[in-house]
Amino acid sequence: MDEEELSEVRRSELVRSNIIILDVIKKSLTQTLNNRGRLEPNVNFAQEDSIEHFHIDGSTMIMLNQPSSINYIEMELYDWNFSYYIEVSIDKYSWFRVIDHSNYDCRSTQRLWINRIYVRYIRIVGTKNTLNKTFTFKILKVMYNTDKLHLVEIKNGLVAPKYNVALPSMDATVIKGIPNWIIYRMEKSLEKIQNNILYDDYKNFLFDRGYTYHEVNLGCIEVQLAQPYVLSSMRILLYDRHKYTYGYTVHVSVNHKDWDMIIDKSNKSCRSWQSLQFEQRLVVYIRITGVQSSDTDRTFNLKYLEAPDQVSLDSIIKKPWKSMLSLLNRK
């Protein structure tokens, strides 16, 4: 019974002891709770032996050793793409949703920033798995994180990062595109071959690792981020060793079904670095499609991608947060 239900219990003359019990209940409901808890920056509470997990109503509840202030949860997802939400509570009765990724595709390690909140219980609920009906994860960190706090903007569980999230170390991955044959000569790791455009080897022009491509009017290059991020810029490097020029478009999506075009340079002759600015929005998938190419093989060749754009980020006037409702309703 919660506090509201307890307060509605009626006294009965049939049972003498319940009069004393109800006096105690009444007193407890009028007392002010002492919300003292720990604030320990950069201490991972999930490593403690005393943390407990419970499976309830198709979800998993985590109980911290004691009430604590947190702003960061990190967990690893298994198998395929998942959707989920996370709620927190101090008393296990009143729950507050801090993360809602119910409609977004998420994979691998989830680095979840929230506004600082005082919690004892954390409830994680899986809503979708594209592979099967299970939701499998492992909690890695629960903490008040200050290390990169200055590099993120947080609003309703959505994060606008100032650092590059299109990195293999951030669990981004290339899901469409053909690695150039040169890469196979330079690399033995299948992961590095697949994700070559997400590594910064472009800086060493003496060690040409090639590029990823697709034929014009056939296919595209797609990158999936580990989780939804609010982005307003990205930067790409077109392969132009032979002064090739390209026309292309860029689409983004959060579910791989509904796509928005954010860049249209299909009628341009583009080469080398491309700094791309667009209206702030949630992004999980990035699709780059070559429309025209001066390459004799009629291929669109991409050497590098980063998001957000790290070069122009400091010079861009920060845009105010748009309505979260408009962002969440955007397909």
Side-chain angles (χ1 to χ4, degrees), residues 233-322:
S233 71
M234 63 182 69
R235 187 168 67 124
I236 64 175
L237 176 59
L238 302 176
Y239 185 79
D240 61 353
R241 174 63 66 87
H242 304 290
K243 297 184 178 180
Y244 296 141
T245 60
Y246 309 91
Y248 64 91
T249 61
V250 181
H251 292 74
V252 296
S253 174
V254 295
N255 56 17
H256 210 256
K257 296 178 181 178
D258 306 301
W259 294 86
D260 289 331
M261 180 186 291
I262 57 171
I263 301 293
D264 185 359
K265 294 193 176 184
S266 54
N267 296 320
K268 305 291 184 180
S269 294
C270 305
R271 59 184 297 267
S272 192
W273 284 107
Q274 305 286 296
S275 181
L276 310 177
Q277 313 295 322
F278 47 90
E279 182 183 2
Q280 191 176 66
R281 65 188 59 225
L282 283 175
V283 177
V284 175
Y285 297 95
I286 301 170
R287 173 185 290 172
I288 305 174
T289 306
V291 178
Q292 58 172 313
S293 171
S294 65
D295 187 342
T296 55
D297 292 332
R298 298 288 295 162
T299 59
F300 175 81
N301 310 316
L302 181 64
K303 193 172 183 67
Y304 179 68
L305 163 72
E306 70 180 19
D309 182 348
Q310 296 298 288
V311 172
S312 61
L313 188 62
D314 293 336
S315 61
I316 298 174
I317 299 176
K318 294 182 179 179
K319 298 180 181 180
W321 275 90
K322 298 200 175 283

Side-chain angles (χ1 to χ4, degrees), residues 2 9 12 60 114 121 143 181-182 194 196 219 260 287 299 325:
D2 59 25
V9 175
S12 171
T60 300
I114 60 177
Y121 304 94
M143 62 193 304
W181 63 271
I182 297 176
Q194 175 187 354
N196 71 90
D260 289 331
R287 173 185 290 172
T299 59
L325 183 60

Side-chain angles (χ1 to χ4, degrees), residues 42-74:
N42 305 315
V43 174
N44 183 11
F45 304 141
Q47 291 180 339
E48 299 178 355
D49 295 335
S50 57
I51 192 170
E52 296 186 48
H53 298 71
F54 305 90
H55 293 276
I56 53 170
D57 300 329
S59 64
T60 300
M61 186 176 70
I62 299 166
M63 184 179 71
L64 302 182
N65 182 43
Q66 66 185 65
S68 307
S69 290
I70 68 169
N71 70 344
Y72 184 80
I73 300 172
E74 188 172 307

Side-chain angles (χ1 to χ4, degrees), residues 81-83 101 103-107 128 130 224-228 254-256 284-285:
N81 290 331
F82 294 88
S83 301
H101 289 174
N103 299 313
Y104 314 132
D105 289 352
C106 305
R107 60 175 297 276
K128 185 183 72 173
T130 56
Q224 181 181 357
L225 305 180
Q227 65 191 65
V254 295
N255 56 17
H256 210 256
V284 175
Y285 297 95

